[in-house]
Amino acid sequence: MSGKLKVVGVVGARPNFMKIAPLASELEKHPGDFEFVLVHTGQHYDPLMNDIFFSQLGIRKPDIHLGVGSASHAEQTAKIMLGFEKVALELAPHLVVVVGDVNSTVASALVAAKLGITLAHVEAGLRSRDRRMPEEINRIVTDALSDILFTPTPLADENLLAEGVERSKISLAGNIMIDTLIRFLEFARKRPVVSSLGLEPAGYGLITLHRPANVDEPEVLSGIVEAFLRIAAELPLVFPIHPRTVKTLKASGLYAPLASAPGMRLIEPLGYLDFLALMKSAKMVITDSGGIQEETTYLRIPCLTLRENTERPETISQGTNLLVGRDRDKIVAEALRIIAGEAKEGGELKFWDGKVASRIVAELSERKDMIMTPAEQRLAPRPQP
Ligand code: UD1
């Protein structure tokens, strides 16, 4: 296709925002080649889960907002599909770009694929091989439907090849979230959040927890809370809490004892810069997030991941990450080792270098000829698997 490529980028939930930000600004640097339209599904809507990221990361206001909000997986996915189908038909883009692995990712990928619009997935090829995680289903489906798969690591390429994805569709671009981290690290350093919370650099641990497998069952959650309380007796812990986790902590009567425990600071979800500032100066991070495993590896901060598996194994083999599952004693033992100075050191990962968005945009320019116009998309026979 010749002329300007109309690209629709879709975001919905907090971890999408730091992935679209560098791509949006890179595409906007080439107005003669690309027209970029940003669609927000509305999966996350609280100001602290949403608006603050747009303002801090300098992402422009979404051109279209679907206002979907929270619901069961089926309902949320279906609502996004209904809303995005109308938008995609109206906008008639050449390309839809989806990022990450949230419900907004898979829902918009399904719509694009069924309308025959060329689909690119940024952060393709991650696999935890645990289909109990909704994100794993989202990754598998999105990758199976995508025409261009931008991967963060060579292992992600291997995962896709093993599933039969053609090599020509895969492009090893690197970790796009690290583009954002590198760009904003200096701004984060200037944030006074560590001292405002009364903490000392390297004198506290930082916690995040929101995965359904950890927070939805009160029994599991209470074991994890007990581990936090034991660690907090040795090292102050700061815990910005996701709304899902607040709900279950309150419903199971765990919120009050946690909030009043000595050494424990429960706070509202933080914006990007304050969270980065806290992560950068922490003694350790305890998390069940996907992205934080990568960010701590880049920052060389020890990370304990409260999961049995990870779709980001390079953070273990080459980084500072360690899987500790949900076993209370194991969590405490590994935290105490870090406090005692026995932390993993980690190393550098290839292409986690701040240049991922520019590699992606260069690749899109190269592949431009293969991307069909909306009229061609409608007439083209759908390729058989
Ligand atoms: C979603 C993603 C997860 C990602 C996480 C980051 C899926 C399947 N999951 O999980 O991969 O790591 O975002 O946060 O897409 N809520 C609010 N305000 C909000 C958003 C959510 O109160 O702005 C509450 C609602 O009660 C909702 C619950 O949190 O029911 C869960 O939100 P949802 O978007 O379904 O999933 P997350 O747990 O946030």
Side-chain angles (χ1 to χ4, degrees):
M1 103 107 221
S2 58
K4 227 192 238 200
L5 201 73
K6 186 170 191 178
V7 180
V8 168
V10 185
V11 290
R14 186 168 62 175
N16 292 158
F17 307 142
M18 34 293 219
K19 294 170 193 167
I20 209 71
L23 192 58
S25 71
E26 194 62 33
L27 286 168
E28 283 162 358
K29 279 186 204 159
H30 304 276
D33 296 325
F34 298 100
E35 177 192 347
F36 182 66
V37 183
L38 184 60
V39 175
H40 193 318
T41 65
Q43 179 174 347
H44 282 177
Y45 44 85
D46 280 359
L48 293 178
M49 300 288 287
N50 183 69
D51 308 37
I52 190 165
F53 290 85
F54 278 76
S55 59
Q56 291 193 342
L57 301 178
I59 310 169
R60 73 143 184 269
K61 231 169 106 68
D63 300 283
I64 293 156
H65 202 290
L66 303 179
V68 162
S70 301
S72 72
H73 283 267
E75 194 178 336
Q76 189 175 58
T77 308
K79 277 184 176 164
I80 297 167
M81 288 182 71
L82 288 170
F84 187 59
E85 186 183 52
K86 284 199 189 85
V87 167
L89 284 169
E90 216 165 278
L91 293 172
H94 301 102
L95 178 74
V96 167
V97 179
V98 296
V99 296
D101 56 14
V102 301
N103 286 345
S104 299
T105 311
V106 71
S108 39
L110 272 162
V111 168
K114 292 210 172 193
L115 291 176
I117 303 169
T118 304
L119 175 66
H121 183 205
V122 176
E123 200 186 80
L126 299 188
R127 294 292 181 272
S128 67
R129 304 209 159 68
D130 179 356
R131 291 198 184 187
R132 291 169 303 176
M133 278 181 82
E135 293 81 2
E136 183 73 354
I137 315 261
N138 295 346
R139 292 178 202 119
I140 294 167
V141 174
T142 304
D143 286 343
L145 298 175
S146 293
D147 302 294
I148 312 175
L149 298 100
F150 291 108
T151 52
T153 60
L155 198 57
D157 288 21
E158 281 173 34
N159 289 337
L160 294 172
L161 292 169
E163 287 175 16
V165 176
E166 288 158 47
R167 154 108 13 241
S168 60
K169 290 182 171 181
I170 304 171
S171 173
L172 175 57
N175 189 328
I176 196 151
M177 216 181 46
I178 303 298
D179 279 19
T180 302
L181 191 158
I182 291 173
R183 175 155 177 226
F184 288 97
L185 199 52
E186 274 317 305
F187 297 96
R189 279 188 218 279
K190 294 182 191 134
R191 309 286 292 192
V193 60
V194 174
S195 55
S196 339
L197 286 167
L199 302 166
E200 297 280 333
Y204 64 91
L206 174 64
I207 299 176
T208 80
L209 191 75
H210 73 279
R211 231 154 258 298
N214 285 336
V215 305
D216 286 2
E217 297 289 330
E219 235 170 75
V220 174
L221 187 59
S222 85
I224 293 175
V225 164
E226 222 182 294
F228 291 166
L229 294 178
R230 278 164 54 183
I231 300 165
E234 307 295 325
L235 182 77
L237 294 178
V238 52
F239 185 2
I241 311 196
H242 186 288
R244 174 196 277 278
T245 312
V246 171
K247 251 192 229 167
T248 35
L249 280 172
K250 287 194 171 157
S252 50
L254 291 164
Y255 190 88
L258 191 63
S260 59
M264 179 65 79
R265 288 291 297 272
L266 300 191
I267 57 175
E268 295 213 291
L270 290 168
Y272 186 76
L273 296 177
D274 283 342
F275 189 78
L276 181 52
L278 274 181
M279 205 163 31
K280 171 89 192 76
S281 295
K283 177 85 177 166
M284 79 175 101
V285 175
I286 304 176
T287 190
D288 60 2
S289 148
I292 292 169
Q293 297 171 55
E294 299 174 330
E295 290 168 335
T296 46
T297 273
Y298 182 83
L299 294 167
R300 311 261 183 124
I301 302 293
C303 178
L304 298 180
T305 297
L306 304 191
R307 286 174 47 189
E308 324 268 295
N309 50 53
T310 177
E311 61 290 335
R312 291 152 162 107
E314 302 84 349
T315 61
I316 297 174
S317 57
Q318 299 172 56
T320 55
N321 189 21
L322 194 67
L323 292 181
V324 288
R326 295 181 246 156
D327 179 85
R328 187 191 51 193
D329 295 333
K330 174 136 174 104
I331 299 168
V332 175
E334 293 300 341
L336 293 180
R337 278 165 60 108
I338 296 172
I339 295 169
E342 292 170 43
K344 282 177 81 180
E345 293 204 346
E348 257 172 50
L349 274 93
K350 190 184 172 195
F351 286 169
W352 292 27
D353 58 357
K355 296 178 188 145
V356 179
S358 66
R359 274 196 286 276
I360 290 177
V361 171
E363 186 69 25
L364 288 177
S365 300
E366 290 237 326
R367 290 180 188 237
K368 216 168 159 189
D369 292 342
M370 296 154 47
I371 297 175
M372 288 183 279
T373 63
E376 287 167 344
Q377 287 165 6
R378 277 193 296 277
L379 295 172
R382 302 299 296 145
Q384 295 300 308

